[in-house]
Amino acid sequence: MNVLVLQDYAELSKKGAMIIAEQVNNKKDSILGLATGSTPLGVYKELAQMYEQGKIDFSKVITFNLDEYYGLPENHPQSYRYYMEENFWSKVNLQDENKHIPPSITDNIELACKEYDELIESHGGIDLQILGIGPNGHIGFNEPGKELYAKTHLAKLTQNTIEANSRFFPDKESVPKNAITMGMGSIMKSKKILLLANGNGKAEIIRKTIKGQITTNVPASMLQLHPNVTVLLDEKAASKL
Ligand code: F6R
């Protein structure tokens, strides 16, 4: 793992955007794996600025989001589709047909998951996957437990994740209990991975992810097995390394 420690969140966001821009500038039709949450917001802002300044062109880029809450209406302000539209998609020249995110409601979950994996595969897999990390070590919604899943699937959110994410909802009860998430397979098959973490709240899980044993109890620790992972941390998230 290539671990880079940046001074603060602003620097981390700039560096993250630079890495993504380099990928897109080298391969115009890059397949990007995208994450939501607080962590990548700064990166999306930087990328939108770079686009405004004519430094990056997303017209041929294809994106696949990691996950979507299950059961929320599509235009719900807490849905990840809404987040992506609000914070990134609407700010750059991505083509509508090139933006992909798992469905928030579907008649056939199994089929929808299978089709999502097949679509990723049909494009040759993900070139660069952006990841945040849950305080419990989840990536996407691959939650800690006895086993992990390779494929896109309906995941049950842990209590820890429901609590962490309740900050965006009126109360804990309103947080969806399930999400459709890419499995560990699509993530691990990405050619490159960019893991972002900032703040003291991520310091302990970053230590376990990078220096701890590889275990399904810390799904992100699996990334130790990937040949091309860059971890961008601010000083606070790196404070326990
Ligand atoms: C979001 C996702 C999650 C988040 C993680 C960290 O698409 O897949 O794994 O990356 O929960 O969230 P933040 O960045 O809000 O701390």
Side-chain angles (χ1 to χ4, degrees):
M1 282 176 162
N2 177 22
V3 181
L4 301 179
V5 181
L6 288 309
Q7 201 184 342
D8 54 22
Y9 181 68
E11 291 303 312
L12 177 153
S13 302
K14 277 191 198 136
K15 184 72 184 167
M18 269 172 54
I19 292 172
I20 296 165
E22 203 177 289
Q23 169 68 41
V24 171
N25 290 335
N26 286 337
K27 184 175 180 252
K28 295 268 171 232
D29 57 348
S30 286
I31 316 297
L32 299 182
L34 301 178
T36 60
S38 313
T39 314
L41 282 174
V43 168
Y44 292 142
K45 222 171 159 184
E46 288 289 332
L47 286 173
Q49 263 175 32
M50 290 170 104
Y51 167 68
E52 286 289 318
Q53 296 162 354
K55 293 181 183 161
I56 187 165
D57 171 22
F58 289 95
S59 62
K60 296 202 165 64
V61 170
I62 299 175
T63 65
F64 286 93
N65 265 78
L66 277 167
D67 42 22
E68 175 61 286
Y69 285 124
Y70 194 73
L72 287 183
E74 251 188 27
N75 57 355
H76 190 285
Q78 295 312 332
S79 75
Y80 285 168
R81 176 177 289 278
Y82 189 96
Y83 166 110
M84 288 311 299
E85 204 53 67
E86 197 69 2
N87 295 300
F88 186 51
W89 289 347
S90 64
K91 317 260 188 218
V92 298
N93 63 335
L94 271 164
Q95 305 298 300
D96 279 345
E97 65 272 23
N98 290 339
K99 308 165 180 173
H100 304 286
I101 188 159
S104 53
I105 294 183
T106 166
D107 292 342
N108 190 334
I109 295 174
E110 218 171 295
L111 182 66
C113 291
K114 191 168 164 272
E115 285 176 350
Y116 201 66
D117 285 336
E118 284 171 357
L119 200 58
I120 296 173
E121 286 295 321
S122 74
H123 286 289
I126 292 164
D127 290 309
L128 177 62
Q129 174 67 57
I130 294 124
L131 294 176
I133 180 169
N136 65 357
H138 73 207
I139 48 179
F141 279 123
N142 294 283
E143 297 280 34
K146 275 199 235 127
E147 49 200 15
L148 292 170
Y149 295 84
K151 300 202 165 154
T152 297
H153 61 282
L154 185 74
K156 190 170 180 292
L157 307 192
T158 60
Q159 207 48 40
N160 181 301
T161 297
I162 291 173
E163 268 158 38
N165 291 6
S166 65
R167 68 193 194 277
F168 302 113
F169 289 85
D171 48 55
K172 246 193 289 181
E173 282 60 49
S174 318
V175 184
K177 308 287 176 283
N178 298 91
I180 293 188
T181 181
M182 270 186 210
M184 295 300 291
S186 308
I187 296 174
M188 291 298 282
K189 275 192 255 171
S190 306
K191 294 173 189 84
K192 290 181 218 152
I193 293 177
L194 182 60
L195 173 66
L196 311 169
N198 67 290
N200 289 318
K202 298 286 171 73
E204 180 57 19
I205 197 64
I206 281 295
R207 187 190 64 74
K208 288 186 180 156
T209 295
I210 297 174
K211 298 208 158 156
Q213 286 178 340
I214 298 168
T215 163
T216 57
N217 291 324
V218 181
S221 65
M222 296 281 163
L223 298 174
Q224 292 179 33
L225 298 171
H226 191 282
N228 195 338
V229 180
T230 300
V231 186
L232 295 187
L233 306 172
D234 69 350
E235 285 178 359
K236 290 178 179 160
S239 60
K240 295 197 174 170
L241 288 179

